[in-house]
Amino acid sequence: MDWFYGPMVKMHALLAWCSIGLFLVRGLAHQFGAAWVTDERLRTLVFSSHVLIVVSGLSLWGRSTSTRATRPG
């Protein structure tokens, strides 16, 4: 199952950085009064990225707990 863990860690990190980037861009745009900050399409994109972060994080968490349980001594 190692073929799954490495790419999933990279995807989780990439999604986290994308979420941070979206947060910063939306925050700055809100400060400058941009109207597109509350656009439903953008909010859907942000929500979808958060769901994917949770799903990938849960899959990594399940992997890390199962490897600790099977490790000898």
Side-chain angles (χ1 to χ4, degrees), residues 1-20:
M1 201 68 149
D2 291 330
W3 58 269
F4 176 79
Y5 188 76
M8 189 59 74
V9 168
K10 290 178 184 175
M11 178 191 282
H12 187 74
L14 178 66
L15 286 168
W17 281 113
C18 287
S19 178
I20 291 169

